[in-house]
Amino acid sequence: MATRYFRDFPARTGDRMLFKMEHYLELYDELLAGWQGRDIRFLEIGIYKGGSLPMWQGFLGPKSRLVFCDIDPACCALALPGTVVEIGDQADPAFLQRIGQAHGPFDLIVDDGGHKMHQQITSFRHLWPRLADRGLYIVEDVHTSYWPGFGGGFRAPASFIEFAKDLIDRMHSWYTEDDERFPLHPLAREIGGIRFHDSLVVIEKRLKAPPVALTAQNGQVGRSRRMLEVRGRRSIF
């Protein structure tokens, strides 16, 4: 039976306000089903009224290291036993570096912070190296990529959505036939997958070697990376 932890959580809240898009809760039940009860290192950017602290604490294992960040010093009062609250600007590389060094590497990072383009992109660039292999980096409320007041706009080059679309290209740069304009990018060795949902992006870290094409017949298995080396192909075979 599929878990309903996140979908059922709003009915169990106390006096702390939880503010999430409703459909995120169903997505989290599906996406994180195998994470429930695991002891991990977790980071969420954005505390607001503190409603997500008990949500994540109740979902993850009792030995998890739970770190929450916000720019508002008043959020220090919202810390729960067993959690850490750090105050700083998610667009400040020095702050992000300190968080990563002090508490990382993280298994799960959720960006529910200021939602502005420079904040989301700066946080990703500096925290992605602090994400562990097989970890997830989740960016919520990416609908702000379409709001000029947040630095976005439809197909605005500086939006997080356009930044995330570019990550798709980097993930596939193994297969380039344009070595000068589209060279192999280091992120090809690190991104396992990217999922776009309504106003939410999930990026999986999966450290990997260059992909291999496999052939198998009569139990004999062959492997080749020739697909990555040849240029000017007219056939995949």
Side-chain angles (χ1 to χ4, degrees):
M1 182 177 178
T3 179
R4 288 186 54 94
Y5 174 86
F6 290 101
R7 279 172 287 181
D8 291 343
F9 184 81
R12 301 194 304 271
T13 52
D15 59 355
R16 293 172 175 237
M17 181 188 296
L18 177 71
F19 184 68
K20 296 282 184 188
M21 298 286 282
E22 185 176 19
H23 66 277
Y24 294 175
L25 303 180
E26 181 176 2
L27 288 172
Y28 284 158
D29 278 333
E30 297 172 359
L31 181 68
L32 302 176
W35 293 65
Q36 189 167 12
R38 284 178 51 187
D39 294 320
I40 69 166
R41 288 179 176 258
F42 171 86
L43 171 66
E44 183 171 47
I45 302 170
I47 295 175
Y48 190 48
K49 301 295 185 180
S52 69
L53 275 73
M55 182 181 74
W56 290 113
Q57 189 175 51
F59 179 75
L60 297 170
K63 296 181 181 179
S64 293
R65 185 168 183 82
L66 305 176
V67 182
F68 298 86
C69 299
D70 203 282
I71 200 170
D72 182 1
C75 289
C76 286
L78 298 173
L80 295 173
T83 69
V84 176
V85 169
E86 296 277 8
I87 302 301
D89 185 349
Q90 72 172 112
D92 177 6
F95 172 70
L96 298 170
Q97 182 177 5
R98 180 173 70 79
I99 294 300
Q101 289 177 340
H103 304 293
F106 300 103
D107 302 291
L108 179 60
I109 298 175
V110 178
D111 183 351
D112 186 23
H115 311 308
K116 293 184 178 179
M117 303 305 98
H118 72 287
Q119 294 171 323
Q120 292 172 334
I121 292 172
T122 301
S123 293
F124 177 84
R125 283 176 168 161
H126 289 86
L127 291 174
W128 176 259
R130 302 292 182 176
L131 185 67
D133 187 25
R134 305 301 175 99
L136 297 179
Y137 195 107
I138 300 174
V139 185
E140 295 185 350
D141 300 326
V142 296
H143 51 266
T144 60
S145 282
Y146 302 97
W147 294 353
F150 282 70
F154 177 58
R155 294 187 179 169
S159 75
F160 182 81
I161 285 290
E162 294 302 316
F163 176 82
K165 290 177 185 177
D166 187 66
L167 293 179
I168 297 173
D169 292 331
R170 304 309 169 200
M171 179 175 65
H172 287 99
S173 60
W174 301 111
Y175 310 102
T176 184
E177 289 210 343
D178 189 342
D179 298 292
E180 182 176 345
R181 293 192 307 153
F182 182 45
L184 174 63
H185 195 279
L187 286 177
R189 299 178 181 272
E190 299 179 6
I191 297 178
I194 305 173
R195 296 176 60 174
F196 286 80
H197 298 275
D198 184 344
S199 66
L200 187 144
V201 175
V202 182
I203 305 152
E204 177 198 14
K205 192 163 196 175
R206 185 173 292 241
L207 303 181
K208 58 188 187 291
V212 170
L214 182 147
T215 58
Q217 188 173 18
N218 295 324
Q220 299 299 308
V221 180
R223 295 176 174 84
S224 172
R225 291 194 172 102
R226 189 169 179 269
M227 185 185 297
L228 312 184
E229 300 163 357
V230 175
R231 300 293 184 264
R233 280 191 177 273
R234 294 293 182 270
S235 169
I236 197 171
F237 302 107

